[in-house]
Amino acid sequence: MITTLSPKQQKTLIRIILAFAILVSVIILQQTNIVSETAILLVLYLVPYAVIGYDVLTRAGKNIFHGKIFDENFLMTIATIGAFALGEYPEAVAVMLFYQVGELFQSYAVSKSRKSIAALMDIRPDHANIESNGQLIEVDPGELKTGDVIIIKPGERVPVDGVVISGSSDLNTMSLTGESLPRPVDAGDEVISGCVNMSGLLRVRVQKPYGESTVARILDLVENAAAKKAKTENFITTFSRYYTPVVVGVAAALAVLPPILFGEPFVDWVGRALIFLVVSCPCALVISIPLSFYGGIGGASRNGILIKGGNYLEALAKTETVVFDKTGTLTTGSFRVNSIKPSGEMTEEQLIMYAALAESSSTHPLAASIRAAYGKEIDRSVVANVTETAGRGVSAEVSGRVVLAGNAKLLADGGVAIPPSAPAGTAIHVAVDKIYAGYLLFSDTAKPSAKKAVNDLKKLGVKHTAMLTGDAEAAAKLTAEELGIDSYRAGLLPQEKVSGLEDIMEKFGGSTAYVGDGINDAPVLSRADVGIAMGSLGSDAAIEAADVVLMDDDPAKVATAVRISKKTFWIVRENIVFALGVKFFVLAFAAAGFATMWEAVFADVGVAVIAILNAMRTLGFSEK
């Protein structure tokens, strides 16, 4: 830990060790009666007090001068000076000493969390290489225009989003996605800015100017994330604003009223008031609560999840319903043959063979999935007279037989009637020699982690999962059943998705999250309590509208985000209950005259240190 401390933190640590050593030495001198003179002891105890507390005393003085009286520096100062006045020298030094220990832990935790977030900030490219007259010239990424061709050397960061024209390499996407495995890229592949080119030379055509590239959007989101506080943070800020003056007033009343009203000794009640003041310092809350949220955001960043503020972290922790978009979010957008339904005497093997041979030259995505389902080498020598009609399908001669493979319109044009029982979803109908031969059903391929995402969310306490999609009913039903999604609505336009989400929010209540990726998801992302966008493949509008961005399009990261948020919020509640519980208990004892200064020290700085250490657990969140 020491090697990772900043110079300022190392200086504080040295002061803590030095003050502690002097304090122990003076206590030994006092306990062994080597030094018993009160005046000398006071001077000796003032040495560690000055070593460890001079900056707190200075800040308290400056704040008072500027009219900002009631803060933790003021409370530390007045309590410790009061303890000296009552002759409780070790306790006075201990209060300041443990306060600085808590401050050091807090500073270390903030630095560590900031480094996690800064790892995202480190994606900013320094320069771009552009070709001009056969020469490579380094330019600012902001000077690049759409269509420019740039060269990315091994070891350099991709400056803007683009498409590889030539070359192949592996990209390190860890700072963007949290994924440690390199991503291979080749000619024709898209590259996103912020990744590091690890091996080969890449020639890339610029698709977006720097200001619209992934790296610029992410940096803008990160820079604005810390400004959005959770409701709990705002409550603690407001609470401490009123709490400190109130406890100072109560302490003053405690010191003055009983002696005046009941003739009690002033010394006893001033002592109780000072103990009351020491206990009442709100450091445990005002430090540990923001630290917990900051640590949670940092932990999420380390897992490739950008949460735009503590308020969204808190809302995510309370999520009871998660609604997904389908294509691009739960599915890859690539189709596969899901079912082969022959008709008449045609077998499944014959049906897929005729369809694959007829579609052997087509570049349509469904044709590719038919050939993949056939799984055998295509013998093009038996295929002739291929005619492809856009939007309808293919006609071809296969081993001398006329084959039609396409939609209902294609078969109708060929004089072939489709049985009424045939499905209306995504299907390819096949006819051989003008006789209906059957159909192939297709479904979108679910992402490998999609089912795990749904299961993990339910294990985390999400009560309902739903899917809203513009796809056909059959495809939506198949995906929902495959992934275990509780309900779905299909065939929706963007505005209908919004009304669909509102229906779900009204029916199930609680906090609702929506996960989407396309530009059509932007309105519904904005309407949800928490909008979660798929980052690297998501549209600009979706990322802008979202509250949480997943950097690697992995739906399982939704559960990771919820898990981190719940853990963070749980730690926040632990600290609030623990700190207030101990403080109110010891405050009551202090007012009644049963608490000592040492118990007050524990209730204040001891509780603060424990709460800060508890808050630091948020820094360790990892799914790796």
Side-chain angles (χ1 to χ4, degrees):
M1 171 180 168
I2 294 176
T3 55
T4 60
L5 295 179
S6 67
K8 184 180 179 182
Q9 291 166 342
Q10 291 179 1
K11 185 179 176 183
T12 303
L13 179 62
I14 292 172
R15 287 172 55 205
I16 289 171
I17 295 172
L18 182 61
F20 180 74
I22 297 173
L23 175 63
V24 172
S25 300
V26 177
I27 290 175
I28 292 173
L29 291 175
Q30 183 181 11
Q31 295 299 320
T32 56
N33 290 320
I34 295 175
V35 178
S36 57
E37 187 68 33
T38 303
I40 297 175
L41 284 172
L42 174 60
V43 173
L44 291 177
Y45 277 114
L46 282 174
V47 174
Y49 180 74
V51 169
I52 199 62
Y54 73 88
D55 52 343
V56 175
L57 300 175
T58 304
R59 284 198 298 269
K62 287 181 178 177
N63 290 344
I64 292 172
F65 181 76
H66 290 101
K68 296 166 59 180
I69 299 175
F70 298 112
D71 63 0
E72 67 272 19
N73 297 300
F74 171 77
L75 287 175
M76 286 294 109
T77 301
I78 193 170
T80 52
I81 291 176
F84 271 112
L86 295 173
E88 296 181 334
Y89 307 150
E91 290 89 338
V93 181
V95 168
M96 200 62 85
L97 182 64
F98 289 117
Y99 174 75
Q100 294 287 25
V101 171
E103 288 284 296
L104 178 62
F105 277 127
Q106 183 223 4
S107 175
Y108 173 74
V110 169
S111 298
K112 191 172 179 183
S113 182
R114 190 170 287 152
K115 284 178 183 175
S116 298
I117 298 173
L120 280 177
M121 300 294 284
D122 196 35
I123 59 179
R124 190 190 303 273
D126 298 325
H127 65 274
N129 303 311
I130 190 167
E131 279 186 318
S132 177
N133 299 323
Q135 300 289 322
L136 276 184
I137 301 174
E138 288 189 3
V139 300
D140 189 283
E143 298 177 17
L144 296 175
K145 301 185 295 293
T146 302
D148 283 346
V149 176
I150 57 175
I151 306 297
I152 305 172
K153 301 175 186 175
E156 290 185 339
R157 200 173 289 280
V158 178
V160 292
D161 298 354
V163 175
V164 178
I165 300 173
S166 63
S168 60
S169 181
D170 291 314
L171 295 183
N172 182 343
T173 66
M174 189 167 182
S175 58
L176 282 173
T177 67
E179 174 57 58
S180 57
L181 286 178
R183 177 181 296 178
V185 291
D186 213 330
D189 289 339
E190 291 187 356
V191 293
I192 57 174
S193 50
C195 301
V196 176
N197 181 18
M198 297 179 64
S199 49
L201 189 75
L202 293 175
R203 189 184 301 272
V204 172
R205 186 179 303 284
V206 175
Q207 279 191 314
K208 297 176 181 175
Y210 176 77
E212 299 175 11
S213 286
T214 301
V215 65
R217 298 203 314 269
I218 293 172
L219 290 173
D220 181 60
L221 298 178
V222 171
E223 287 166 358
N224 289 299
K228 296 172 181 173
K229 289 187 176 181
K231 290 180 180 176
T232 309
E233 283 182 278
N234 286 324
F235 166 74
I236 293 300
T237 302
T238 306
F239 172 78
S240 61
R241 190 180 303 151
Y242 296 101
Y243 169 83
T244 306
V246 167
V247 296
V248 170
V250 172
L254 201 62
V256 175
L257 293 182
I260 294 177
L261 297 177
F262 308 109
E264 298 281 340
F266 264 105
V267 174
D268 290 348
W269 286 95
V270 169
R272 294 185 190 188
L274 287 172
I275 291 173
F276 191 91
L277 271 182
V278 171
V279 178
S280 62
C281 185
C283 299
L285 293 176
V286 297
I287 294 175
S288 70
I289 304 306
L291 181 63
S292 300
F293 282 105
Y294 198 67
I297 293 173
S301 300
R302 200 163 47 253
N303 285 278
I305 302 164
L306 176 58
I307 299 176
K308 294 184 180 178
N311 50 341
Y312 304 121
L313 195 78
E314 187 170 353
L316 206 53
K318 299 177 180 175
T319 296
E320 295 183 3
T321 302
V322 177
V323 183
F324 293 92
D325 168 50
K326 177 179 166 287
T327 305
T329 301
L330 291 172
T331 64
T332 61
S334 59
F335 288 88
R336 67 180 177 189
V337 176
N338 179 258
S339 180
I340 304 171
K341 299 290 184 183
S343 177
E345 297 180 354
M346 187 72 63
T347 65
E348 288 189 7
E349 290 76 14
Q350 290 173 323
L351 182 62
I352 189 71
M353 179 196 72
Y354 280 120
L357 290 171
E359 298 273 11
S360 59
S361 302
S362 175
T363 57
H364 194 281
L366 293 184
S369 63
I370 292 174
R371 293 194 293 270
Y374 179 53
K376 299 177 182 177
E377 188 174 348
I378 300 292
D379 182 5
R380 297 179 188 276
S381 66
V382 301
V383 183
N385 298 324
V386 178
T387 303
E388 184 167 0
T389 305
R392 298 204 172 187
V394 173
S395 68
E397 285 186 18
V398 178
S399 299
R401 306 184 70 176
V402 178
V403 177
L404 300 177
N407 58 19
K409 291 180 180 176
L410 179 77
L411 268 67
D413 291 345
V416 180
I418 294 179
S421 59
T426 306
I428 289 288
H429 298 276
V430 179
V432 179
D433 289 340
K434 293 185 177 293
I435 297 175
Y436 186 73
Y439 60 88
L440 308 175
L441 276 179
F442 298 82
S443 63
D444 203 352
T445 307
K447 289 184 177 179
S449 61
K451 189 173 181 65
K452 181 178 184 303
V454 175
N455 289 336
D456 287 352
L457 285 170
K458 291 181 177 176
K459 289 177 183 175
L460 288 168
V462 171
K463 297 177 181 174
H464 187 80
T465 55
M467 184 173 70
L468 300 177
T469 177
D471 284 6
E473 167 77 19
K477 181 181 180 183
L478 198 66
T479 300
E481 290 177 349
E482 179 184 355
L483 301 181
I485 292 174
D486 299 320
S487 65
Y488 70 89
R489 287 180 63 179
L492 300 176
L493 297 172
Q495 62 272 25
E496 293 172 330
K497 281 190 173 183
V498 174
S499 60
L501 178 71
E502 290 174 339
D503 291 342
I504 291 172
M505 295 171 75
E506 182 178 350
K507 182 176 181 180
F508 295 100
S511 180
T512 301
Y514 182 85
V515 190
D517 72 317
I519 190 168
N520 63 328
D521 290 318
V524 71
L525 282 167
S526 299
R527 179 63 186 87
D529 295 316
V530 186
I532 303 174
M534 298 291 190
S536 61
L537 294 180
S539 72
D540 294 356
I543 293 173
E544 292 298 326
D547 310 311
V548 178
V549 179
L550 309 181
M551 303 308 298
D552 63 355
D553 300 309
D554 180 1
K557 290 288 179 66
V558 178
T560 303
V562 172
R563 187 176 293 112
I564 290 175
S565 301
K566 284 182 175 294
K567 286 182 177 178
T568 301
F569 201 58
W570 179 255
I571 288 173
V572 167
R573 284 188 290 191
E574 282 179 341
N575 280 345
I576 291 175
V577 172
F578 173 67
L580 289 181
V582 172
K583 279 184 180 297
F584 286 138
F585 183 77
V586 180
L587 279 173
F589 267 58
F594 298 126
T596 67
M597 186 59 84
W598 279 115
E599 289 160 348
V601 170
F602 171 75
D604 174 25
V605 288
V607 168
V609 170
I610 292 172
I612 289 168
L613 289 174
N614 193 35
M616 287 174 68
R617 294 196 293 139
T618 56
L619 300 172
F621 292 155
S622 176
E623 294 292 309
K624 298 172 185 174

